[in-house]
Amino acid sequence: MASTSANGLITNLANYQGEWIGIGQRKYPFSSLLGMGALERGEESPFKEVGSMKFNMSQTYSLDAGSQQVVSENDTFDAPTSTVYQTAQNTNFCQVMREGVKFSDLKLSDRSISGNAIDGDIFAMQEFQKQIMIHLEQMKRDFEYSIINGTGQDGSSNSATAFQINGLYTGLSTNKIDASAASISKALIESLAVSMLDNGADMEDMYFMCRADLLMEINTLYGVQPRSESRGGINLLELIVPGMPPVKLVYNDLVPANVLLAVDIGHCEGVSNTTPGLPQISFRSTANVGQGEIGEVFAKIGIDFGHESKHGALHNLA
């Protein structure tokens, strides 16, 4: 069952027995790849630390179109015309992620299974701890959604305004190609590769992310070519696309429908604006009037994707 806005009571949250199985969607491959990338770089944490909720991702500049310089011998006696290349600051935001849990003292001391009393205290705190773990899973799903689809918002000028992550797909413009309701094809995929090449994308560690129906269509397109592998528990299919290094194909149900999202993980990092002395993601017990246990799973996290031109997407596919 999904969440309910309620406290944990003996009347609404029974202890049950048997294998603990989550049903429905519980995946967060983009977030997992961010963490794997950090570990592979030798970093101690999956999130790099930033000093405020609004942080700088990159500063960018562009070169002029290539041309042939014309400088005569006489011209060499004169000073050249001075020019400067303007740079731009690219920013993003962390957002507060929190999941609240509150249990009554009666629930904490409930040692029954399916309503039947048992001896011992092994179950006294089990349900509370289990709820913390489930809330942590929900936080991961919400983070996964936000780093793809989030609408950025700066809360620095008004305490009533929330900081919100600007998601990677939301932030795309340079290499966002409208498929005009056409079916996925090698030609469309190659048009995305051409756009990314022409716009200077480095394509260091490329992933295609999409929903299941599109993944199956791409797998059919490339026939027996794909090579299957696993990274950090994520199943991958590797494709050879002209102009790109080997591209890993990943199922992600939080990518919008009819979208193929091209992500260069080499330009992506998780970020955290952590309170000094506390873990980046933590459970914090809070003051409670009366008896029981109250607290929340809490984090201030976001994504640094460098610059949107390092990534791309096909959208409006059939």
Side-chain angles (χ1 to χ4, degrees), residues 117-284:
I118 61 169
D119 293 330
D121 60 1
I122 188 170
F123 287 98
M125 287 293 289
Q126 183 187 53
E127 186 62 37
F128 187 71
Q129 293 161 347
K130 185 169 69 176
Q131 287 295 321
I132 292 172
M133 295 303 297
I134 295 172
H135 280 76
L136 181 57
E137 277 196 271
Q138 182 63 55
M139 180 181 286
K140 291 177 182 178
R141 283 283 288 177
D142 292 346
F143 181 64
E144 182 84 3
Y145 178 88
S146 299
I147 62 178
I148 297 171
N149 305 296
T151 300
Q153 182 168 273
D154 187 353
S156 57
S157 60
N158 186 341
S159 61
T161 301
F163 285 96
Q164 292 179 206
I165 295 168
N166 193 45
L168 177 54
Y169 178 67
T170 309
L172 287 177
S173 59
T174 303
N175 301 309
K176 189 174 184 179
I177 297 175
D178 189 340
S180 301
S183 297
I184 190 69
S185 65
K186 286 188 176 182
L188 274 173
I189 292 173
E190 288 165 13
S191 72
L192 176 59
V194 167
S195 177
M196 295 182 72
L197 282 168
D198 285 348
N199 288 300
D202 303 310
M203 294 188 280
E204 297 175 4
D205 189 11
M206 289 301 302
Y207 287 78
F208 284 165
M209 298 185 187
C210 59
R211 295 191 179 188
D213 53 349
L214 191 52
L215 184 144
M216 298 302 176
E217 291 180 47
I218 293 172
N219 189 35
T220 300
L221 271 181
Y222 285 84
V224 297
Q225 181 198 27
R227 180 172 66 87
S228 180
E229 62 172 298
S230 178
R231 183 183 184 194
I234 302 168
N235 294 322
L236 308 171
L237 291 172
E238 193 169 89
L239 310 176
I240 304 300
V241 178
M244 287 183 164
V247 181
K248 284 75 119 183
L249 181 62
V250 182
Y251 166 67
N252 192 325
D253 70 295
L254 293 177
V255 172
N258 306 315
V259 168
L260 178 65
L261 182 62
V263 181
D264 187 351
I265 292 293
H267 281 282
C268 295
E269 290 185 274
V271 299
S272 175
N273 178 222
T274 309
T275 303
L278 292 177
Q280 292 176 330
I281 300 175
S282 61
F283 178 77
R284 305 181 182 186

Side-chain angles (χ1 to χ4, degrees), residues 48-56 94 271-274 300:
K48 72 174 183 180
E49 285 296 330
V50 292
S52 66
M53 294 291 281
K54 181 179 181 179
F55 61 91
N56 298 324
C94 293
V271 299
S272 175
N273 178 222
T274 309
K300 295 176 290 183

